[in-house]
Amino acid sequence: MKVIYAPDTNFLLQFREPSQVNWKDLTPADEVELVILLSVLRELDKHNHGPNGRRRKVAERVLKSIRGLEPGNNLEVRRQGPRVVFREIEPVDETVDLPSWIDRSKPDEAILAEILEYQAGGTSGLQLLTADMALKRLARRAGVEAVMPPDEWKLPPEPDANEKRVNELERQVRQLL
């Protein structure tokens, strides 16, 4: 059995790598396809060129890991337990009537529009993978199934500037002792 998810940008940036999570927490499938949407690529590119920080570093890592991705050429990230692959779907020529409230200039709604287009083009079973409550609600409104990954998959919170400074000062004090 295979399951097909379209991860949103936040999933790729704020959760552990797809090769490192227990997909059995989410599905009994023996294969997981992660469809990389164009709208998600655009957001990753934006973060990749953003200010120095974890988002930029993770975006850079994700973009490098999918560099060879093209339609018909899945990239395997895990062989089994279940098998996990990144996938790019051929663009859909068919125009679909999107709900009037979807605004493609908003990243979350662009993700939904793209999923709806792929579903209309025959990619059945494509589900949104997101931990974003607002996006999940919008997906429900659009008739798109949205799945939330377990909290255990999240990366640890990034320390803020003050925490980083305190950690650095504590490290310096330990060196002096």
Side-chain angles (χ1 to χ4, degrees):
M1 179 175 99
K2 174 174 67 174
V3 65
I4 307 171
Y5 297 118
D8 72 348
T9 312
N10 288 331
F11 175 80
L12 295 171
L13 293 177
Q14 297 174 359
F15 286 78
R16 289 183 291 157
E17 295 179 46
S19 63
Q20 299 175 348
V21 298
N22 183 4
W23 289 97
K24 297 295 182 186
D25 291 344
L26 215 55
T27 178
D30 53 2
E31 183 167 346
V32 174
E33 285 187 357
L34 300 174
V35 174
I36 302 299
L37 303 173
L38 180 58
S39 49
V40 170
L41 278 175
R42 286 182 179 135
E43 284 191 89
L44 288 171
D45 279 335
K46 183 180 81 178
H47 288 297
N48 186 38
H49 300 294
N52 203 1
R54 181 165 77 179
R55 279 184 181 256
R56 186 196 55 75
K57 290 174 187 171
V58 174
E60 181 180 356
R61 177 188 46 80
V62 171
L63 289 168
K64 281 182 182 177
S65 73
I66 61 173
R67 187 169 280 150
L69 189 62
E70 56 187 50
N73 182 24
N74 295 345
L75 293 176
E76 186 175 74
V77 296
R78 186 160 77 195
R79 290 193 189 277
Q80 62 186 3
R83 180 174 185 253
V84 180
V85 298
F86 282 122
R87 177 180 174 203
E88 181 181 334
I89 301 176
E90 285 284 353
V92 179
D93 292 330
E94 180 182 342
T95 44
V96 60
D97 286 330
L98 297 173
S100 61
W101 55 266
I102 289 184
D103 178 356
R104 285 181 182 269
S105 69
K106 297 178 180 175
D108 285 351
E109 293 177 33
I111 288 171
L112 286 177
E114 202 169 340
I115 290 172
L116 289 168
E117 287 172 351
Y118 285 129
Q119 287 176 341
T123 305
S124 61
L126 180 58
Q127 303 170 60
L128 174 64
L129 183 60
T130 183
D132 182 334
M133 292 299 294
L135 181 52
K136 185 171 183 192
R137 189 172 190 178
L138 288 171
R140 183 175 56 235
R141 184 175 178 194
V144 172
E145 186 173 347
V147 177
M148 292 192 78
D151 286 338
E152 296 81 39
W153 293 9
K154 286 183 180 177
L155 292 170
E158 185 175 19
D160 64 23
N162 287 334
E163 289 173 312
K164 288 179 182 178
R165 180 156 169 70
V166 167
N167 289 340
E168 175 59 21
L169 290 171
E170 287 175 345
R171 185 191 66 75
Q172 291 174 5
V173 167
R174 281 192 303 275
Q175 285 181 334
L176 293 172
L177 298 178

mmCIF file of all heavy atoms in Angstrom, residues 36-78:
data_model
loop_
_atom_site.group_PDB
_atom_site.id
_atom_site.type_symbol
_atom_site.label_atom_id
_atom_site.label_comp_id
_atom_site.label_asym_id
_atom_site.label_seq_id
_atom_site.Cartn_x
_atom_site.Cartn_y
_atom_site.Cartn_z
ATOM 1 N N ILE A 36 6.661 17.172 -3.905
ATOM 2 C CA ILE A 36 7.176 18.523 -3.699
ATOM 3 C C ILE A 36 6.447 19.457 -4.653
ATOM 4 O O ILE A 36 6.582 19.362 -5.868
ATOM 5 C CB ILE A 36 8.700 18.577 -3.927
ATOM 6 C CG1 ILE A 36 9.418 17.595 -2.996
ATOM 7 C CG2 ILE A 36 9.220 19.999 -3.728
ATOM 8 C CD1 ILE A 36 9.216 17.862 -1.518
ATOM 9 N N LEU A 37 5.672 20.353 -4.067
ATOM 10 C CA LEU A 37 4.880 21.303 -4.841
ATOM 11 C C LEU A 37 5.737 22.496 -5.253
ATOM 12 O O LEU A 37 6.655 22.896 -4.526
ATOM 13 C CB LEU A 37 3.686 21.789 -4.024
ATOM 14 C CG LEU A 37 2.743 20.712 -3.500
ATOM 15 C CD1 LEU A 37 1.707 21.322 -2.570
ATOM 16 C CD2 LEU A 37 2.071 19.972 -4.646
ATOM 17 N N LEU A 38 5.404 23.086 -6.391
ATOM 18 C CA LEU A 38 6.111 24.268 -6.873
ATOM 19 C C LEU A 38 5.987 25.421 -5.876
ATOM 20 O O LEU A 38 6.949 26.144 -5.613
ATOM 21 C CB LEU A 38 5.581 24.683 -8.242
ATOM 22 C CG LEU A 38 6.231 25.900 -8.884
ATOM 23 C CD1 LEU A 38 7.732 25.692 -9.059
ATOM 24 C CD2 LEU A 38 5.569 26.199 -10.225
ATOM 25 N N SER A 39 4.810 25.573 -5.284
ATOM 26 C CA SER A 39 4.610 26.651 -4.312
ATOM 27 C C SER A 39 5.503 26.459 -3.082
ATOM 28 O O SER A 39 5.995 27.430 -2.507
ATOM 29 C CB SER A 39 3.135 26.755 -3.913
ATOM 30 O OG SER A 39 2.625 25.492 -3.563
ATOM 31 N N VAL A 40 5.747 25.216 -2.703
ATOM 32 C CA VAL A 40 6.645 24.925 -1.575
ATOM 33 C C VAL A 40 8.088 25.212 -1.979
ATOM 34 O O VAL A 40 8.851 25.792 -1.198
ATOM 35 C CB VAL A 40 6.452 23.474 -1.090
ATOM 36 C CG1 VAL A 40 7.530 23.069 -0.103
ATOM 37 C CG2 VAL A 40 5.056 23.297 -0.484
ATOM 38 N N LEU A 41 8.459 24.849 -3.204
ATOM 39 C CA LEU A 41 9.812 25.159 -3.683
ATOM 40 C C LEU A 41 10.078 26.654 -3.656
ATOM 41 O O LEU A 41 11.168 27.094 -3.273
ATOM 42 C CB LEU A 41 10.008 24.640 -5.107
ATOM 43 C CG LEU A 41 10.350 23.178 -5.264
ATOM 44 C CD1 LEU A 41 10.398 22.795 -6.735
ATOM 45 C CD2 LEU A 41 11.654 22.848 -4.581
ATOM 46 N N ARG A 42 9.089 27.434 -4.063
ATOM 47 C CA ARG A 42 9.253 28.896 -4.041
ATOM 48 C C ARG A 42 9.520 29.395 -2.625
ATOM 49 O O ARG A 42 10.382 30.254 -2.408
ATOM 50 C CB ARG A 42 8.019 29.572 -4.621
ATOM 51 C CG ARG A 42 7.913 29.449 -6.113
ATOM 52 C CD ARG A 42 6.689 30.170 -6.651
ATOM 53 N NE ARG A 42 6.653 30.037 -8.092
ATOM 54 C CZ ARG A 42 5.564 29.731 -8.782
ATOM 55 N NH1 ARG A 42 4.413 29.543 -8.176
ATOM 56 N NH2 ARG A 42 5.622 29.625 -10.097
ATOM 57 N N GLU A 43 8.782 28.870 -1.662
ATOM 58 C CA GLU A 43 8.991 29.302 -0.272
ATOM 59 C C GLU A 43 10.362 28.846 0.237
ATOM 60 O O GLU A 43 11.035 29.595 0.948
ATOM 61 C CB GLU A 43 7.882 28.753 0.631
ATOM 62 C CG GLU A 43 6.573 29.482 0.499
ATOM 63 C CD GLU A 43 5.615 29.083 1.590
ATOM 64 O OE1 GLU A 43 5.637 29.733 2.658
ATOM 65 O OE2 GLU A 43 4.864 28.121 1.383
ATOM 66 N N LEU A 44 10.761 27.629 -0.111
ATOM 67 C CA LEU A 44 12.082 27.147 0.310
ATOM 68 C C LEU A 44 13.181 28.023 -0.275
ATOM 69 O O LEU A 44 14.145 28.361 0.418
ATOM 70 C CB LEU A 44 12.281 25.687 -0.103
ATOM 71 C CG LEU A 44 11.484 24.643 0.665
ATOM 72 C CD1 LEU A 44 11.620 23.273 0.005
ATOM 73 C CD2 LEU A 44 11.906 24.586 2.125
ATOM 74 N N ASP A 45 13.040 28.395 -1.549
ATOM 75 C CA ASP A 45 14.025 29.284 -2.170
ATOM 76 C C ASP A 45 14.092 30.621 -1.432
ATOM 77 O O ASP A 45 15.174 31.168 -1.212
ATOM 78 C CB ASP A 45 13.689 29.521 -3.644
ATOM 79 C CG ASP A 45 14.158 28.395 -4.540
ATOM 80 O OD1 ASP A 45 15.107 27.682 -4.161
ATOM 81 O OD2 ASP A 45 13.565 28.218 -5.621
ATOM 82 N N LYS A 46 12.936 31.142 -1.052
ATOM 83 C CA LYS A 46 12.895 32.411 -0.314
ATOM 84 C C LYS A 46 13.630 32.277 1.026
ATOM 85 O O LYS A 46 14.455 33.118 1.376
ATOM 86 C CB LYS A 46 11.440 32.835 -0.082
ATOM 87 C CG LYS A 46 11.288 34.168 0.615
ATOM 88 C CD LYS A 46 9.821 34.516 0.820
ATOM 89 C CE LYS A 46 9.365 33.779 2.038
ATOM 90 N NZ LYS A 46 8.012 33.988 2.449
ATOM 91 N N HIS A 47 13.379 31.181 1.730
ATOM 92 C CA HIS A 47 14.055 30.978 3.021
ATOM 93 C C HIS A 47 15.551 30.717 2.837
ATOM 94 O O HIS A 47 16.362 31.114 3.665
ATOM 95 C CB HIS A 47 13.422 29.820 3.789
ATOM 96 C CG HIS A 47 12.073 30.127 4.337
ATOM 97 N ND1 HIS A 47 11.847 31.096 5.285
ATOM 98 C CD2 HIS A 47 10.854 29.611 4.047
ATOM 99 C CE1 HIS A 47 10.564 31.156 5.576
ATOM 100 N NE2 HIS A 47 9.936 30.267 4.834
ATOM 101 N N ASN A 48 15.907 30.062 1.740
ATOM 102 C CA ASN A 48 17.306 29.755 1.453
ATOM 103 C C ASN A 48 18.128 31.030 1.280
ATOM 104 O O ASN A 48 19.321 31.043 1.548
ATOM 105 C CB ASN A 48 17.391 28.890 0.197
ATOM 106 C CG ASN A 48 18.784 28.397 -0.085
ATOM 107 O OD1 ASN A 48 19.538 28.061 0.817
ATOM 108 N ND2 ASN A 48 19.138 28.359 -1.346
ATOM 109 N N HIS A 49 17.502 32.094 0.843
ATOM 110 C CA HIS A 49 18.202 33.364 0.630
ATOM 111 C C HIS A 49 17.886 34.368 1.728
ATOM 112 O O HIS A 49 18.235 35.536 1.609
ATOM 113 C CB HIS A 49 17.838 33.945 -0.743
ATOM 114 C CG HIS A 49 18.204 33.023 -1.865
ATOM 115 N ND1 HIS A 49 19.504 32.696 -2.176
ATOM 116 C CD2 HIS A 49 17.430 32.316 -2.726
ATOM 117 C CE1 HIS A 49 19.518 31.841 -3.182
ATOM 118 N NE2 HIS A 49 18.277 31.597 -3.534
ATOM 119 N N GLY A 50 17.241 33.905 2.784
ATOM 120 C CA GLY A 50 16.861 34.790 3.879
ATOM 121 C C GLY A 50 18.000 35.012 4.849
ATOM 122 O O GLY A 50 19.152 34.636 4.594
ATOM 123 N N PRO A 51 17.668 35.615 5.989
ATOM 124 C CA PRO A 51 18.713 35.887 6.988
ATOM 125 C C PRO A 51 19.332 34.588 7.505
ATOM 126 O O PRO A 51 18.721 33.538 7.479
ATOM 127 C CB PRO A 51 17.957 36.627 8.104
ATOM 128 C CG PRO A 51 16.521 36.420 7.843
ATOM 129 C CD PRO A 51 16.357 36.026 6.412
ATOM 130 N N ASN A 52 20.548 34.706 7.948
ATOM 131 C CA ASN A 52 21.268 33.553 8.462
ATOM 132 C C ASN A 52 20.538 33.002 9.680
ATOM 133 O O ASN A 52 20.174 33.725 10.574
ATOM 134 C CB ASN A 52 22.691 33.975 8.844
ATOM 135 C CG ASN A 52 23.642 32.808 8.852
ATOM 136 O OD1 ASN A 52 23.272 31.685 8.563
ATOM 137 N ND2 ASN A 52 24.882 33.097 9.162
ATOM 138 N N GLY A 53 20.273 31.738 9.721
ATOM 139 C CA GLY A 53 19.575 31.109 10.828
ATOM 140 C C GLY A 53 19.193 29.699 10.460
ATOM 141 O O GLY A 53 19.536 29.195 9.385
ATOM 142 N N ARG A 54 18.484 29.049 11.383
ATOM 143 C CA ARG A 54 18.135 27.653 11.161
ATOM 144 C C ARG A 54 17.248 27.478 9.935
ATOM 145 O O ARG A 54 17.444 26.549 9.160
ATOM 146 C CB ARG A 54 17.451 27.055 12.393
ATOM 147 C CG ARG A 54 17.116 25.574 12.157
ATOM 148 C CD ARG A 54 16.779 24.825 13.386
ATOM 149 N NE ARG A 54 15.438 25.126 13.821
ATOM 150 C CZ ARG A 54 14.880 24.571 14.884
ATOM 151 N NH1 ARG A 54 15.566 23.719 15.623
ATOM 152 N NH2 ARG A 54 13.662 24.874 15.235
ATOM 153 N N ARG A 55 16.286 28.368 9.730
ATOM 154 C CA ARG A 55 15.402 28.218 8.557
ATOM 155 C C ARG A 55 16.208 28.223 7.264
ATOM 156 O O ARG A 55 15.963 27.426 6.365
ATOM 157 C CB ARG A 55 14.344 29.322 8.515
ATOM 158 C CG ARG A 55 13.188 29.069 9.411
ATOM 159 C CD ARG A 55 12.134 30.162 9.242
ATOM 160 N NE ARG A 55 11.053 29.903 10.129
ATOM 161 C CZ ARG A 55 9.882 29.409 9.746
ATOM 162 N NH1 ARG A 55 9.657 29.161 8.490
ATOM 163 N NH2 ARG A 55 8.937 29.173 10.632
ATOM 164 N N ARG A 56 17.156 29.128 7.175
ATOM 165 C CA ARG A 56 17.971 29.187 5.973
ATOM 166 C C ARG A 56 18.782 27.905 5.812
ATOM 167 O O ARG A 56 18.860 27.328 4.727
ATOM 168 C CB ARG A 56 18.907 30.398 5.985
ATOM 169 C CG ARG A 56 19.677 30.549 4.661
ATOM 170 C CD ARG A 56 20.864 31.480 4.752
ATOM 171 N NE ARG A 56 21.818 31.149 5.792
ATOM 172 C CZ ARG A 56 22.699 30.135 5.729
ATOM 173 N NH1 ARG A 56 22.728 29.339 4.694
ATOM 174 N NH2 ARG A 56 23.528 29.914 6.717
ATOM 175 N N LYS A 57 19.385 27.441 6.895
ATOM 176 C CA LYS A 57 20.210 26.235 6.834
ATOM 177 C C LYS A 57 19.383 25.004 6.482
ATOM 178 O O LYS A 57 19.809 24.173 5.671
ATOM 179 C CB LYS A 57 20.928 26.027 8.166
ATOM 180 C CG LYS A 57 22.010 27.049 8.418
ATOM 181 C CD LYS A 57 22.609 26.903 9.800
ATOM 182 C CE LYS A 57 23.573 28.047 10.085
ATOM 183 N NZ LYS A 57 24.013 28.074 11.474
ATOM 184 N N VAL A 58 18.199 24.890 7.078
ATOM 185 C CA VAL A 58 17.349 23.739 6.776
ATOM 186 C C VAL A 58 16.833 23.832 5.344
ATOM 187 O O VAL A 58 16.808 22.837 4.623
ATOM 188 C CB VAL A 58 16.193 23.617 7.795
ATOM 189 C CG1 VAL A 58 15.228 22.516 7.402
ATOM 190 C CG2 VAL A 58 16.737 23.350 9.198
ATOM 191 N N ALA A 59 16.428 25.027 4.917
ATOM 192 C CA ALA A 59 15.962 25.196 3.534
ATOM 193 C C ALA A 59 17.069 24.800 2.558
ATOM 194 O O ALA A 59 16.821 24.108 1.558
ATOM 195 C CB ALA A 59 15.518 26.636 3.298
ATOM 196 N N GLU A 60 18.291 25.213 2.853
ATOM 197 C CA GLU A 60 19.423 24.857 1.998
ATOM 198 C C GLU A 60 19.608 23.340 1.953
ATOM 199 O O GLU A 60 19.808 22.758 0.884
ATOM 200 C CB GLU A 60 20.692 25.526 2.528
ATOM 201 C CG GLU A 60 21.922 25.255 1.712
ATOM 202 C CD GLU A 60 23.161 25.944 2.283
ATOM 203 O OE1 GLU A 60 23.058 26.700 3.272
ATOM 204 O OE2 GLU A 60 24.242 25.710 1.723
ATOM 205 N N ARG A 61 19.509 22.674 3.109
ATOM 206 C CA ARG A 61 19.655 21.213 3.173
ATOM 207 C C ARG A 61 18.557 20.523 2.367
ATOM 208 O O ARG A 61 18.830 19.609 1.587
ATOM 209 C CB ARG A 61 19.628 20.724 4.620
ATOM 210 C CG ARG A 61 19.714 19.203 4.734
ATOM 211 C CD ARG A 61 19.509 18.685 6.138
ATOM 212 N NE ARG A 61 18.406 19.246 6.867
ATOM 213 C CZ ARG A 61 17.116 18.874 6.713
ATOM 214 N NH1 ARG A 61 16.782 17.962 5.824
ATOM 215 N NH2 ARG A 61 16.171 19.419 7.446
ATOM 216 N N VAL A 62 17.308 20.971 2.536
ATOM 217 C CA VAL A 62 16.191 20.357 1.814
ATOM 218 C C VAL A 62 16.373 20.547 0.313
ATOM 219 O O VAL A 62 16.221 19.597 -0.466
ATOM 220 C CB VAL A 62 14.838 20.933 2.282
ATOM 221 C CG1 VAL A 62 13.702 20.456 1.385
ATOM 222 C CG2 VAL A 62 14.559 20.553 3.734
ATOM 223 N N LEU A 63 16.702 21.755 -0.100
ATOM 224 C CA LEU A 63 16.880 22.017 -1.529
ATOM 225 C C LEU A 63 18.006 21.169 -2.117
ATOM 226 O O LEU A 63 17.885 20.656 -3.234
ATOM 227 C CB LEU A 63 17.119 23.510 -1.779
ATOM 228 C CG LEU A 63 15.882 24.395 -1.564
ATOM 229 C CD1 LEU A 63 16.275 25.865 -1.546
ATOM 230 C CD2 LEU A 63 14.829 24.119 -2.622
ATOM 231 N N LYS A 64 19.098 20.989 -1.376
ATOM 232 C CA LYS A 64 20.183 20.133 -1.853
ATOM 233 C C LYS A 64 19.721 18.679 -1.965
ATOM 234 O O LYS A 64 20.097 17.977 -2.901
ATOM 235 C CB LYS A 64 21.396 20.225 -0.923
ATOM 236 C CG LYS A 64 22.227 21.459 -1.141
ATOM 237 C CD LYS A 64 23.437 21.475 -0.228
ATOM 238 C CE LYS A 64 24.232 22.754 -0.437
ATOM 239 N NZ LYS A 64 25.372 22.836 0.485
ATOM 240 N N SER A 65 18.904 18.240 -1.013
ATOM 241 C CA SER A 65 18.466 16.845 -1.014
ATOM 242 C C SER A 65 17.515 16.526 -2.160
ATOM 243 O O SER A 65 17.386 15.370 -2.542
ATOM 244 C CB SER A 65 17.830 16.473 0.332
ATOM 245 O OG SER A 65 16.553 17.068 0.462
ATOM 246 N N ILE A 66 16.861 17.541 -2.720
ATOM 247 C CA ILE A 66 15.918 17.294 -3.821
ATOM 248 C C ILE A 66 16.422 17.862 -5.147
ATOM 249 O O ILE A 66 15.672 17.951 -6.111
ATOM 250 C CB ILE A 66 14.509 17.856 -3.495
ATOM 251 C CG1 ILE A 66 14.545 19.368 -3.282
ATOM 252 C CG2 ILE A 66 13.904 17.138 -2.319
ATOM 253 C CD1 ILE A 66 13.177 19.997 -3.125
ATOM 254 N N ARG A 67 17.676 18.207 -5.186
ATOM 255 C CA ARG A 67 18.257 18.850 -6.376
ATOM 256 C C ARG A 67 18.019 18.046 -7.657
ATOM 257 O O ARG A 67 17.728 18.609 -8.699
ATOM 258 C CB ARG A 67 19.751 19.082 -6.167
ATOM 259 C CG ARG A 67 20.372 19.889 -7.291
ATOM 260 C CD ARG A 67 21.756 20.338 -6.963
ATOM 261 N NE ARG A 67 21.647 21.519 -6.093
ATOM 262 C CZ ARG A 67 22.530 21.838 -5.178
ATOM 263 N NH1 ARG A 67 23.585 21.088 -4.981
ATOM 264 N NH2 ARG A 67 22.380 22.914 -4.441
ATOM 265 N N GLY A 68 18.125 16.740 -7.622
ATOM 266 C CA GLY A 68 17.961 15.919 -8.822
ATOM 267 C C GLY A 68 16.526 15.526 -9.112
ATOM 268 O O GLY A 68 16.269 14.738 -10.017
ATOM 269 N N LEU A 69 15.599 16.070 -8.367
ATOM 270 C CA LEU A 69 14.195 15.692 -8.523
ATOM 271 C C LEU A 69 13.605 16.272 -9.798
ATOM 272 O O LEU A 69 13.749 17.460 -10.081
ATOM 273 C CB LEU A 69 13.396 16.190 -7.309
ATOM 274 C CG LEU A 69 11.960 15.707 -7.186
ATOM 275 C CD1 LEU A 69 11.914 14.190 -7.052
ATOM 276 C CD2 LEU A 69 11.298 16.350 -5.975
ATOM 277 N N GLU A 70 12.963 15.403 -10.563
ATOM 278 C CA GLU A 70 12.236 15.826 -11.760
ATOM 279 C C GLU A 70 11.149 14.796 -12.018
ATOM 280 O O GLU A 70 11.233 13.671 -11.520
ATOM 281 C CB GLU A 70 13.173 15.976 -12.954
ATOM 282 C CG GLU A 70 13.976 14.738 -13.268
ATOM 283 C CD GLU A 70 15.016 14.969 -14.350
ATOM 284 O OE1 GLU A 70 15.773 15.947 -14.249
ATOM 285 O OE2 GLU A 70 15.061 14.160 -15.286
ATOM 286 N N PRO A 71 10.144 15.170 -12.805
ATOM 287 C CA PRO A 71 9.053 14.216 -13.051
ATOM 288 C C PRO A 71 9.578 12.881 -13.572
ATOM 289 O O PRO A 71 10.439 12.838 -14.444
ATOM 290 C CB PRO A 71 8.198 14.927 -14.106
ATOM 291 C CG PRO A 71 8.457 16.380 -13.872
ATOM 292 C CD PRO A 71 9.902 16.455 -13.463
ATOM 293 N N GLY A 72 9.078 11.801 -12.992
ATOM 294 C CA GLY A 72 9.477 10.457 -13.391
ATOM 295 C C GLY A 72 10.760 9.972 -12.749
ATOM 296 O O GLY A 72 11.189 8.854 -12.989
ATOM 297 N N ASN A 73 11.395 10.790 -11.914
ATOM 298 C CA ASN A 73 12.656 10.426 -11.278
ATOM 299 C C ASN A 73 12.535 10.638 -9.777
ATOM 300 O O ASN A 73 12.969 11.650 -9.248
ATOM 301 C CB ASN A 73 13.800 11.283 -11.846
ATOM 302 C CG ASN A 73 15.144 10.906 -11.260
ATOM 303 O OD1 ASN A 73 15.337 9.785 -10.790
ATOM 304 N ND2 ASN A 73 16.070 11.844 -11.266
ATOM 305 N N ASN A 74 11.896 9.696 -9.083
ATOM 306 C CA ASN A 74 11.739 9.806 -7.634
ATOM 307 C C ASN A 74 13.095 9.720 -6.946
ATOM 308 O O ASN A 74 13.996 9.043 -7.416
ATOM 309 C CB ASN A 74 10.836 8.695 -7.101
ATOM 310 C CG ASN A 74 9.424 8.801 -7.612
ATOM 311 O OD1 ASN A 74 9.010 9.831 -8.136
ATOM 312 N ND2 ASN A 74 8.666 7.736 -7.460
ATOM 313 N N LEU A 75 13.220 10.423 -5.826
ATOM 314 C CA LEU A 75 14.448 10.355 -5.030
ATOM 315 C C LEU A 75 14.152 9.596 -3.741
ATOM 316 O O LEU A 75 13.367 10.053 -2.907
ATOM 317 C CB LEU A 75 14.943 11.766 -4.699
ATOM 318 C CG LEU A 75 15.430 12.600 -5.872
ATOM 319 C CD1 LEU A 75 15.788 14.011 -5.420
ATOM 320 C CD2 LEU A 75 16.630 11.946 -6.534
ATOM 321 N N GLU A 76 14.775 8.467 -3.587
ATOM 322 C CA GLU A 76 14.562 7.640 -2.407
ATOM 323 C C GLU A 76 15.339 8.214 -1.229
ATOM 324 O O GLU A 76 16.531 8.489 -1.341
ATOM 325 C CB GLU A 76 15.009 6.207 -2.689
ATOM 326 C CG GLU A 76 14.698 5.245 -1.573
ATOM 327 C CD GLU A 76 15.045 3.821 -1.957
ATOM 328 O OE1 GLU A 76 16.257 3.504 -1.996
ATOM 329 O OE2 GLU A 76 14.124 3.052 -2.234
ATOM 330 N N VAL A 77 14.631 8.402 -0.105
ATOM 331 C CA VAL A 77 15.295 8.896 1.106
ATOM 332 C C VAL A 77 15.366 7.824 2.184
ATOM 333 O O VAL A 77 16.115 7.965 3.140
ATOM 334 C CB VAL A 77 14.638 10.182 1.653
ATOM 335 C CG1 VAL A 77 14.785 11.319 0.673
ATOM 336 C CG2 VAL A 77 13.194 9.967 2.016
ATOM 337 N N ARG A 78 14.577 6.774 2.012
ATOM 338 C CA ARG A 78 14.650 5.621 2.924
ATOM 339 C C ARG A 78 14.165 4.395 2.156
ATOM 340 O O ARG A 78 13.161 4.448 1.461
ATOM 341 C CB ARG A 78 13.801 5.856 4.167
ATOM 342 C CG ARG A 78 13.981 4.732 5.179
ATOM 343 C CD ARG A 78 13.573 5.092 6.573
ATOM 344 N NE ARG A 78 12.135 5.075 6.724
ATOM 345 C CZ ARG A 78 11.504 5.614 7.755
ATOM 346 N NH1 ARG A 78 12.177 6.239 8.694
ATOM 347 N NH2 ARG A 78 10.210 5.558 7.846
#
